[in-house]
Amino acid sequence: MSPAPAVIPSGRAFISDNMAGASPQIARAVADAAAGQVLPYGNDPCTDSARRRFGEIFERDVDVFPVSTGSAANGLSLAAITPPWGSVLSHPDSHINHDECGAPEFFTGGAKLIGVPGPDSKIDPDALQKAVRRRTGDVHSVQPSAMSISQATESGSVYTLEEIRRLSAIAKDAGLRVHMDGARFANALDHLNTTPAEMTWKAGIDILSFGATKNGSMTADAIISFDPALATELAFRTKRAGQLSSKMRFHTAQLDTYLTDDLWLHNARQANAMATRLADGLKAIPGTNLLATPQANILFCRLPQHVTEGLLAEGYAFYHDRWEPGTVRFVTAFSHTPQDIDQLIDAVNRHSQ
């Protein structure tokens, strides 16, 4: 797989939603936050406002810890609920298993990640029932301590509310805490047409990695804790990890604006709608096979090799042959337009002739 050029026209960038820029409202908010003098380390009006907004959308008091990356959010969240001799149960396809360079193990001080299989990159309840009891009480083995689910998953599927409740209940009955990797939290929320509260703490989630950088922010994600007992430990862990920003107002200006006037939901709806539009267009092209109907903003399909090569030659950027030969992944973003999607569909159609 040849590397993509460093700068790719936005209409041809489908490698990841991380490629998209920032919402104009968020860029303006960061510029506005640069004026004047305020207290550091989160003692500022932007941070106060962001905390209030998080409390409003989750319908309860929550502890908010802004961080600069999703990997930091995941690692610190898991460290707060998993001892070094513990294990974190997650799907083998999860981001913490594949794409974080051992960060969860690092932040937890050595806890082990255990894969729990299931279709569509979602943990199977029966497999989880076995995993939560594996060698419990055996001093020679890591002890099941936490479960982590990705919402939406790395394959673009979305856990239903009932699935989250069931998995959380299995974990809680066995004494495990529950973490949600919400890198694409808003995309999943849009698909389910539910509320943040229903998809998290009301369904048994203890702690959430709240993603924003894939959906319009610049450099800001957050840890959202629904358990007040975790607040002190998270505060110290965040500082020790170098994630307590002295000029936190630049993070929280982004998050505050992200949540204002439902910007985050608008962006997610756009990204999801573009994935649906792309799927509908590709279905009609002979030789193109969708592997699943996208539930968020990630689409996997099979393309003939000459079609993939033709798209790459036109400057399109996307992952291909990373999973299996002929399998490609397109990720749509809030910045994609219907014209962008229609041009991609037309290009696939032309190269399929």
Side-chain angles (χ1 to χ4, degrees), residues 216-302:
S217 81
M218 289 180 171
T219 57
D221 292 322
I223 299 167
I224 308 297
S225 174
F226 304 107
D227 182 354
L230 298 175
T232 298
E233 181 172 352
L234 280 167
F236 281 102
R237 284 188 177 276
T238 301
K239 172 61 178 178
R240 188 169 183 264
Q243 289 293 320
L244 178 63
S245 174
S246 62
K247 294 187 177 180
M248 191 183 291
R249 67 185 184 273
F250 292 111
H251 283 339
T252 51
Q254 295 176 60
L255 295 170
D256 188 37
T257 304
Y258 183 66
L259 299 176
T260 298
D261 297 329
D262 288 340
L263 174 62
W264 63 305
L265 298 177
H266 170 80
N267 284 358
R269 291 187 194 108
Q270 176 70 9
N272 287 3
M274 294 303 97
T276 299
R277 188 183 187 96
L278 178 58
D280 290 343
L282 294 179
K283 287 177 187 176
I285 301 175
T288 299
N289 298 309
L290 265 63
L291 300 186
T293 300
Q295 296 181 323
N297 62 319
I298 301 174
L299 182 152
F300 281 87
C301 67
R302 295 190 188 278

Side-chain angles (χ1 to χ4, degrees), residues 88-321:
V88 178
L89 309 181
S90 63
H91 196 278
D93 293 341
S94 66
H95 199 273
I96 61 173
N97 272 312
H98 276 296
D99 296 291
E100 294 187 342
C101 195
E105 294 93 331
F106 171 78
F107 281 112
T108 59
K112 190 172 184 178
L113 301 184
I114 303 292
V116 183
D120 300 324
S121 299
K122 296 193 284 188
I123 293 174
D124 176 73
D126 292 334
L128 181 65
Q129 285 277 19
K130 297 176 182 177
V132 297
R133 304 294 180 187
R134 183 179 181 273
R135 300 184 68 175
T136 55
D138 183 349
V139 73
H140 300 284
S141 177
V142 291
Q143 297 298 288
S145 303
M147 177 188 70
S148 178
I149 62 173
S150 302
Q151 184 73 328
T153 72
E154 295 298 300
S155 65
S157 58
V158 173
Y159 285 94
T160 65
L161 295 183
E162 180 53 37
E163 288 171 332
I164 298 172
R165 295 186 193 109
R166 184 178 180 190
L167 293 174
S168 294
I170 293 170
K172 294 293 182 68
D173 286 346
L176 279 67
R177 307 299 291 274
V178 182
H179 165 255
M180 176 180 282
D181 178 355
R184 296 183 174 91
F185 185 84
N187 302 91
L189 199 69
D190 171 64
H191 174 75
L192 294 179
N193 191 29
T194 188
T195 68
E198 291 292 341
M199 201 169 77
T200 54
W201 62 273
K202 288 186 177 181
I205 303 300
D206 295 303
I207 194 166
L208 165 69
S209 297
F210 182 88
T213 54
K214 295 180 187 297
N215 194 43
S217 81
M218 289 180 171
T219 57
D221 292 322
I223 299 167
I224 308 297
S225 174
F226 304 107
D227 182 354
L230 298 175
T232 298
E233 181 172 352
L234 280 167
F236 281 102
R237 284 188 177 276
T238 301
K239 172 61 178 178
R240 188 169 183 264
Q243 289 293 320
L244 178 63
S245 174
S246 62
K247 294 187 177 180
M248 191 183 291
R249 67 185 184 273
F250 292 111
H251 283 339
T252 51
Q254 295 176 60
L255 295 170
D256 188 37
T257 304
Y258 183 66
L259 299 176
T260 298
D261 297 329
D262 288 340
L263 174 62
W264 63 305
L265 298 177
H266 170 80
N267 284 358
R269 291 187 194 108
Q270 176 70 9
N272 287 3
M274 294 303 97
T276 299
R277 188 183 187 96
L278 178 58
D280 290 343
L282 294 179
K283 287 177 187 176
I285 301 175
T288 299
N289 298 309
L290 265 63
L291 300 186
T293 300
Q295 296 181 323
N297 62 319
I298 301 174
L299 182 152
F300 281 87
C301 67
R302 295 190 188 278
L303 294 179
Q305 185 61 30
H306 69 276
V307 175
T308 297
E309 292 174 354
L311 293 175
L312 294 172
E314 287 191 30
Y316 281 97
F318 52 92
Y319 280 130
H320 56 96
D321 298 331

